Amino acid sequence: MINSDDLRFFQMIASHTSLAATARAMNVTPPSITQRLQTIEQKLKLKLVERHARNITLTDEGILLADRAAIILAEMDDLNESLYSQRHEVAGCLKVLAPLGFGRDYIAPLLTEYQLQYQHMSVELELSDNPDWASKHSWDIIIYIGELRDSSLKMLTLSENRRFLCASPSYLEKYGAVNKPADLRHHHCLALRENAEDVTMWKFYNADANITESIRIQPKLACNDGQVIKQWALDGYGIMSRSEWDVAAEIKSGALVKLLSQYELPTANIVALLGTDQRSRSGRTTRFLELIKEKIGQKPWYQ
């Protein structure tokens, strides 16, 4: 007979596109994922997953198990939390999805602080700059930065976050100043590929003239990792558009120079996305939201 650990494990498989992706999320080896899946299938005497060259699909029995597992585990967590709430404690498992860089620098430390405060609660944090919206039901909270494409989730703004166009002093000394958006066509631009956005279309709004200009850049370098893009900019390889939270310190120190200050770029506010089920209203979720709203609202990148 399978147990709750088996159900949680199979939920992880169901929320990823391949066994290798599941292994990366759980920080274990792919063979260990395969072996444990086979053990569950042997227990049930059912085939749960069809394995393909680069991905997996759930069988009808696998889909049924994943759907029922989500319900059962949510009820178990709610029961566990309800029992502890009688003693005014927080319990259960808080599952958070966050962007890679921001999650590492700001969300992970807050989750550690939160878990230490509530010893009967556990935390699962997944970091990704390309979140899988199909598995949004797996998360209590999704921390998101950028253009929001899914409006079915409840949204709580944690902090306003501007985007800045910037480059290193060494780059500007070598290639010259940028006086207007059209000048970017003659510069080396860096593109961060994330969140399925159109990252080569840069938009600029001049509030004084009430004019919006759009420039299609031809990036010399592109990457899906924001830290790589920032390091390229710091090393003088080009101009980037980057979130305020990530470059505030470098702009303050002079390592990066903010360009076209008379223009505004589309904002990328930092938000928390919540589902509509009972878990989004749980005590562990509500109290963590209060914590991150307080801490992130203070814009710690300026402190």
Side-chain angles (χ1 to χ4, degrees), residues 14 35 48 60 62 71 84 125 128 138 156 171 197 204 239 269 297:
Q35 183 177 7
L48 302 173
D60 290 343
I71 297 171
Y84 277 102
L125 171 65
S128 174
S138 301
L156 172 67
Y171 174 87
E197 293 184 17
F204 303 86
I239 298 171
N269 289 343

Side-chain angles (χ1 to χ4, degrees), residues 54 105-106 155 165 172 184 221 253 256 284 287 297:
R54 295 187 177 181
D105 293 349
Y106 294 104
M155 183 180 75
L165 196 71
L172 296 173
L184 293 170
L221 294 168
S253 70
L256 290 173
R284 62 180 177 273
R287 295 189 189 188

Side-chain angles (χ1 to χ4, degrees), residues 206-249:
N206 187 324
D208 293 334
N210 193 26
I211 294 175
T212 298
E213 299 182 46
S214 297
I215 300 297
R216 175 71 70 181
I217 64 165
Q218 300 296 326
K220 292 291 185 179
L221 294 168
C223 183
N224 66 336
D225 188 324
Q227 292 307 300
V228 171
I229 293 292
K230 185 166 86 168
Q231 192 58 54
W232 281 341
L234 288 167
D235 292 340
Y237 289 113
I239 298 171
M240 68 173 177
S241 170
R242 200 72 187 106
S243 279
E244 175 182 8
W245 73 263
D246 195 31
V247 295

Side-chain angles (χ1 to χ4, degrees), residues 48-276:
L48 302 173
V49 173
E50 294 286 357
R51 301 157 179 80
H52 309 291
R54 295 187 177 181
N55 59 14
I56 59 171
T57 57
L58 302 185
T59 64
D60 290 343
E61 293 79 8
I63 293 173
L64 176 61
L65 179 61
D67 290 343
R68 293 296 297 274
I71 297 171
I72 292 169
L73 292 172
E75 289 179 347
M76 290 178 63
D77 286 343
D78 289 341
L79 174 59
N80 196 30
E81 184 176 12
S82 295
L83 292 172
Y84 277 102
S85 68
Q86 300 299 313
R87 298 186 300 185
H88 306 289
E89 296 182 17
V90 171
C93 181
L94 179 67
K95 298 181 180 181
V96 180
L97 174 66
L100 187 61
F102 187 81
R104 180 188 60 238
D105 293 349
Y106 294 104
I107 302 302
L110 289 179
L111 282 170
T112 303
E113 175 184 338
Y114 189 58
Q115 199 281 325
L116 288 174
Q117 185 178 357
Y118 299 105
Q119 295 290 313
H120 296 292
M121 185 196 69
S122 61
V123 167
E124 290 183 16
L125 171 65
E126 182 168 336
L127 302 178
S128 174
D129 286 331
N130 290 287
D132 180 8
W133 295 105
S135 63
K136 59 178 176 290
H137 63 274
S138 301
W139 310 104
D140 297 302
I141 303 173
I142 299 174
I143 306 299
Y144 192 77
I145 304 173
E147 181 183 353
L148 183 59
R149 294 177 176 271
D150 190 317
S151 60
S152 66
L153 302 173
K154 295 186 296 183
M155 183 180 75
L156 172 67
T157 300
L158 303 176
S159 177
E160 294 182 350
N161 178 56
R162 295 169 292 174
R163 282 182 169 132
F164 295 147
L165 196 71
C166 47
S168 69
S170 63
Y171 174 87
L172 296 173
E173 182 178 352
K174 183 175 181 180
Y175 293 100
V178 179
N179 298 311
K180 57 185 181 298
D183 292 344
L184 293 170
R185 295 193 178 98
H186 310 293
H187 278 270
H188 294 213
C189 295
L190 310 173
L192 173 60
R193 302 193 181 280
E194 61 179 356
N195 297 336
E197 293 184 17
D198 185 356
V199 297
T200 62
M201 179 61 75
W202 288 3
K203 298 179 180 180
F204 303 86
Y205 175 67
N206 187 324
D208 293 334
N210 193 26
I211 294 175
T212 298
E213 299 182 46
S214 297
I215 300 297
R216 175 71 70 181
I217 64 165
Q218 300 296 326
K220 292 291 185 179
L221 294 168
C223 183
N224 66 336
D225 188 324
Q227 292 307 300
V228 171
I229 293 292
K230 185 166 86 168
Q231 192 58 54
W232 281 341
L234 288 167
D235 292 340
Y237 289 113
I239 298 171
M240 68 173 177
S241 170
R242 200 72 187 106
S243 279
E244 175 182 8
W245 73 263
D246 195 31
V247 295
E250 287 77 11
I251 290 174
K252 181 178 180 180
S253 70
L256 290 173
V257 177
K258 188 163 61 171
L259 309 177
L260 299 180
S261 297
Q262 69 272 33
Y263 291 87
E264 298 175 11
L265 279 69
T267 58
N269 289 343
I270 302 164
V271 303
L273 303 176
L274 308 173
T276 56

